[in-house]
Every structure is written in structure tokens, then in C-alpha cells.
Amino acid sequence: MASMHSEADEGPGPWPAFADLLGATTLLFLILFAAVAIPALKRSGEADARESSLNAIEHRLRQAGTRDGVRVLRVGDYLLVRIEGDATFPTDRYELGQLKPEGKRILKAFGAFLRSDSVLREIDQIQVVGHTSREGTEERNWILSSSRAATVALFLIDSARIEPCKVSALGRSRYYPVDPAAARASARVDQQDRRIELEIRPVLPTDTVQKARRASCVGPRAGA
């Protein structure tokens, strides 16, 4: 006689296994979302914040107006203020006492603009970069570009009253001409290559590297 058995005797069926698979798939998706999508959203937010800050600083800088021999350029994730060499130092000079009156006026006006419109709060770093033409020896061009950048940085701190923790200096010698294509095609000396550039990078509230650097900077003591 054939035995009789109910649905209960056949076990739970495929549904619990399917539910486990669905749960595991959902968990895997959440892990991948946390690993990939969230960092991407964070980077997108940082990029949007950088763009907004750069637009605001650039707009105010252009509103304030620029002098002859000064250009404001957008370069990737920073603003570049280019000051022609003729406005800063005589040929083969770099000391503070040799900074030309026109260069001093430009830098003082730049510092006053940053302080008067609260723009400085939106800026993380102003990197002063010195460039030379291809004249002179390798050693001399490195000394000139680095020393001119350091002199301008010191002027921004002492005379334009920019916070020291927001200023840095770097020399790039003759290796970054204004017109790279022309420099590769000809050995002609281009005096436009002699210049000072201010690379302005905005504050990004979520950038932990910026925060750590700002926290590690020890400014001058009061009365020092």
C-alpha cells in the first residue's frame, strides 16, 4: 500500500535558500556601495566645494582688478597669479632690498585685497613659485628662482601681513617656460620666463590632509 505523506514531510522547499541568497546579495551590494560609491560621492563633494571656492576667489580677484604685468589664470585645482619678472627683480637679483617698487605695490595690493574681503579665510595655501629664463648656469638659476620665491614669501608675510602658515615658497629654475612649445623649438632666451607666480589653493573643509597640515603649523608667538 502506497504510503501517504503531507507537504510538511517534503521539507521547507527552496524559499529559505532563496531568502538566504537574497540576503547575502544585498549585504554584498551594501559592502560594494560603501567601498566604491561613498568615496566617489565624497570626492565629488570635495570637487564641487573646490570649484565653488575657486570661483568665488577668482571672481573677487578679478573684481578687485589687476595691474599691468599681472595675470590671473585658472590652472586645474588652483588659481595662478602671474607677476612678470620686470615688475619684481632686476636681472640676476633676488634680495628683499632689490625688490622693485612696482613689485612691492602689486604684492601689498594683493595682501590688502585678501584681508579686506575676508578672502583669506577661504584660502588654504599661497605657494610662491620663482621661475627664471634659460640664461645663466644651472646652479645660478636654481638659486635665483628659489631665493626670489623666498623673498616674495617673506614680503607677503612681513609687509602684506599674510599669515605665515598660509605661505610657502618654491623655485623651479628654467624648466617651466611660459611657452613650452616655443622653448622646445628654439634656444632663444624669452624674458617672459623670468617671473613670480602665486599658486592659490582653497580650503576644503573635508580634506583631512589640509586639516592636519594647518594643525601642525606653529605660527609666531604673540609679541615675538
Side-chain angles (χ1 to χ4, degrees), residues 199-221:
E199 298 179 357
I200 302 173
R201 290 174 169 79
V203 168
L204 299 177
T206 59
D207 191 318
T208 56
V209 175
Q210 281 191 3
K211 288 180 179 179
R213 186 182 60 250
R214 288 194 294 270
S216 66
C217 183
V218 180
R221 296 189 301 275

Side-chain angles (χ1 to χ4, degrees), residues 154-219:
L154 183 62
F155 186 88
L156 286 174
I157 293 167
D158 288 348
S159 299
R161 293 185 288 141
I162 305 298
E163 300 169 35
C165 290
K166 287 184 178 287
V167 180
S168 58
L170 173 69
R172 290 192 174 135
S173 188
R174 61 183 178 86
Y175 294 104
Y176 292 85
V178 171
D179 188 342
R184 292 187 181 102
S186 170
R188 181 180 64 86
V189 172
D190 189 346
Q191 293 300 329
Q192 290 186 92
D193 294 338
R194 293 180 57 247
R195 66 199 189 277
I196 289 290
E197 293 179 340
L198 310 178
E199 298 179 357
I200 302 173
R201 290 174 169 79
V203 168
L204 299 177
T206 59
D207 191 318
T208 56
V209 175
Q210 281 191 3
K211 288 180 179 179
R213 186 182 60 250
R214 288 194 294 270
S216 66
C217 183
V218 180

Side-chain angles (χ1 to χ4, degrees), residues 24-106:
T25 303
T26 302
L27 179 60
L28 179 61
F29 172 78
L30 292 174
I31 292 172
L32 289 174
F33 181 82
V36 177
I38 291 178
L41 290 172
K42 182 180 178 182
R43 288 193 296 272
S44 176
E46 289 176 350
D48 289 343
R50 181 186 294 111
E51 187 72 15
S52 176
S53 296
L54 283 173
N55 285 338
I57 297 168
E58 182 178 17
H59 177 69
R60 293 180 193 178
L61 194 56
R62 293 190 186 281
Q63 272 191 328
T66 55
R67 294 170 175 265
D68 291 340
V70 179
R71 293 184 64 193
V72 179
L73 306 169
R74 187 71 169 271
V75 183
D77 61 354
Y78 64 90
L79 285 177
L80 186 147
V81 178
R82 177 176 291 164
I83 307 171
E84 293 178 1
D86 287 345
T88 52
F89 296 94
T91 302
D92 207 37
R93 297 291 183 268
Y94 59 82
E95 294 180 5
L96 187 57
Q98 297 162 338
L99 182 59
K100 290 183 176 181
E102 179 61 14
K104 292 178 180 179
R105 286 193 292 271
I106 291 170

Side-chain angles (χ1 to χ4, degrees), residues 105-134:
R105 286 193 292 271
I106 291 170
L107 294 170
K108 280 186 176 179
F110 177 72
F113 156 73
L114 293 181
R115 294 191 311 274
S116 65
D117 204 16
S118 302
V119 181
L120 203 55
R121 289 183 300 185
E122 300 177 23
I123 294 175
D124 174 62
Q125 278 285 298
I126 301 169
Q127 180 163 268
V128 183
V129 183
H131 299 269
T132 68
S133 67
R134 61 175 63 185

